């Protein structure tokens, strides 16, 4: 059976993606790092709707934790493989560059960028062998245009977009596609502390997007209908450029 692994699927955009892909008929693996209750809630919602889901806890920024978790999963699923990987787990630690601490820089690069590297490298082997795979990286508007106060986050997401474009060319002959989605402001825990009233004035659609709207785009990108779309960074931002 082919599985979809969605990192950071206990909450927010990742949760919506897991629910959507399960509704599309894929068994999903709900990754998270600390919030077990929220991850189990995601799985319960999927199962109650008739889908198939399981949790898999590991820190995407820890290469050994990624490797160990996937090894255990593979042992428990000898006849299955992960054909869809959504690198969604992300954090932000905003600060002006002049005040930015080493920890704020490194933690954001570790989760948003290095996590993509550890997991994708590991899971590509099976996708290439089966000549079938979809990788979707959740980047950001911040990685396309750069946002003040987010030098660390903009750098990580811009690098993720560059890696998406390069990797797509490496694996295209084996029918594996690699794309990025670049959300603008989306309602989630990550944006809960922002001044929404002010920020939505910047958005031509005058509102934040929903996690479900991002999930619809990811659902399309991992479907059979997108076999000729690869190496793209697709914006979903209500017109905010
Ligand atoms: P969120 O609500 O803060 O959720 C973050 C998710 O990532 C949680 O499931 C969390 O797990 C998980 N996570 C964090 N660090 C992790 C780690 N080291 N290993 C594994 N999982 C980890 O964030 P969100 O708004 O849904 O954002 C999802 C993605 O979209 C991120 O990549 C973010 O950068 C990107 N994005 C968001 C927006 C926006 O406006 N919200 C805009 C552009 C891009 P726990 O529950 O266990 O903590």
């Amino acid at each position: 059976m082919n599985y979809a692994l969605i990192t950071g699927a206990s909450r927010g955009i990742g949760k919506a993606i897991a629910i959507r892909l399960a509704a599309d008929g894929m068994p999903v693996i709900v990754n998270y790092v600390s919030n077990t209750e929220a991850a189990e809630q995601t799985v319960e919602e999927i199962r109650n709707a008739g889908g198939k889901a399981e949790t898999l806890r590991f820190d995407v920024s820890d290469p050994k934790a990624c490797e160990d978790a996937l090894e255990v999963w593979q042992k428990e699923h000898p006849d299955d493989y992960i054909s869809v990987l959504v690198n969604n787990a992300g954090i932000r630690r905003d600060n002006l560059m002049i005040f930015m601490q080493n920890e704020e820089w490194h933690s954001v690069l570790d989760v948003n960028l290095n996590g993509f590297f550890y997991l994708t490298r590991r899971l590509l082997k099976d996708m290439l062998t089966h000549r079938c795979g979809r990788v979707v990286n959740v980047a950001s508007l911040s990685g396309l245009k750069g946002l003040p106060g987010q030098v660390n986050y903009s750098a990580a997401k811009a690098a993720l977009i560059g890696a998406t474009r390069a990797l797509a060319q490496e694996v295209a002959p084996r029918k594996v596609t690699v794309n990025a989605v670049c959300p603008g402001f989306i309602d989630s825990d990550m944006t809960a502390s922002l001044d929404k009233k002010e920020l939505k004035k910047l958005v031509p659609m005058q509102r934040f997007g929903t996690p479900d709207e991002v999930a619809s785009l990811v659902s399309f990108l991992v479907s059979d209908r997108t076999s000729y779309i690869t190496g793209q960074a697709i914006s979903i931002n209500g017109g905010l450029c």
Side-chain angles (χ1 to χ4, degrees):
M1 200 179 282
N2 293 11
Y3 275 74
L5 167 60
I6 302 99
T7 66
S10 47
R11 296 182 281 123
I13 295 171
K15 175 177 181 171
I17 294 170
I19 289 172
R20 175 59 67 94
L21 298 194
D24 291 344
M26 293 208 78
V28 300
I29 305 167
V30 172
N31 161 257
Y32 69 105
V33 65
S34 59
N35 199 333
T36 303
E37 202 182 324
E40 283 172 356
Q41 173 71 26
T42 303
V43 166
E44 197 182 319
E45 283 178 41
I46 291 171
R47 288 182 182 159
N48 287 345
K52 195 167 161 35
E54 58 194 80
T55 59
L56 192 63
R57 179 182 185 167
F58 61 89
D59 180 346
V60 298
S61 69
D62 178 343
K64 188 169 181 319
C66 295
E67 194 57 45
D68 291 351
L70 289 169
E71 207 177 308
V72 169
W73 185 86
Q74 199 66 69
K75 276 194 184 126
E76 288 169 359
H77 297 78
D79 301 324
D80 304 324
Y81 88 104
I82 296 168
S83 63
V84 172
L85 169 62
V86 183
N87 289 300
N88 165 80
I91 57 166
R92 64 180 182 90
R93 297 275 183 277
D94 297 355
N95 208 344
L96 295 175
M97 171 99 170
I98 196 164
F99 301 122
M100 192 171 282
Q101 302 298 306
N102 290 349
E103 191 278 329
E104 291 170 325
W105 174 264
H106 287 294
S107 60
V108 167
L109 271 285
D110 277 346
V111 176
N112 293 284
L113 179 63
N114 296 338
F116 147 80
F117 172 66
Y118 303 137
L119 268 183
T120 312
R121 180 182 56 180
R122 169 67 170 74
L123 294 178
L124 267 181
K125 288 172 197 158
D126 270 346
M127 293 185 197
L128 294 173
T129 309
H130 287 87
R131 286 183 154 70
C132 166
R134 293 278 188 271
V135 179
V136 177
N137 299 319
V138 181
S140 172
L141 173 69
S142 188
L144 288 171
K145 66 175 285 200
L147 290 176
Q150 294 199 319
V151 171
N152 50 358
Y153 185 80
S154 295
K157 295 299 195 184
L160 189 56
I161 293 166
T164 299
R165 292 183 172 135
L167 179 61
Q169 294 171 67
E170 288 185 12
V171 299
R174 297 282 186 115
K175 298 182 179 166
V176 175
T177 68
V178 187
N179 291 290
V181 296
C182 301
F185 294 116
I186 306 297
D187 266 321
S188 75
D189 291 346
M190 186 178 271
T191 51
S193 63
L194 301 180
D195 185 348
K196 195 171 164 184
K197 205 170 156 203
E198 281 307 307
L199 287 172
K200 68 183 188 184
K201 288 183 195 158
L202 304 173
V203 184
M205 285 193 181
Q206 302 275 291
R207 64 173 179 90
F208 279 22
T210 66
D212 279 347
E213 287 171 320
V214 181
S216 293
L217 174 57
V218 174
S219 160
F220 175 61
L221 286 173
V222 305
S223 72
D224 293 340
R225 289 166 291 158
T226 56
S227 42
Y228 206 53
I229 300 177
T230 197
Q232 303 305 304
I234 300 171
S235 290
I236 172 159
N237 57 28
L240 178 63
C241 300

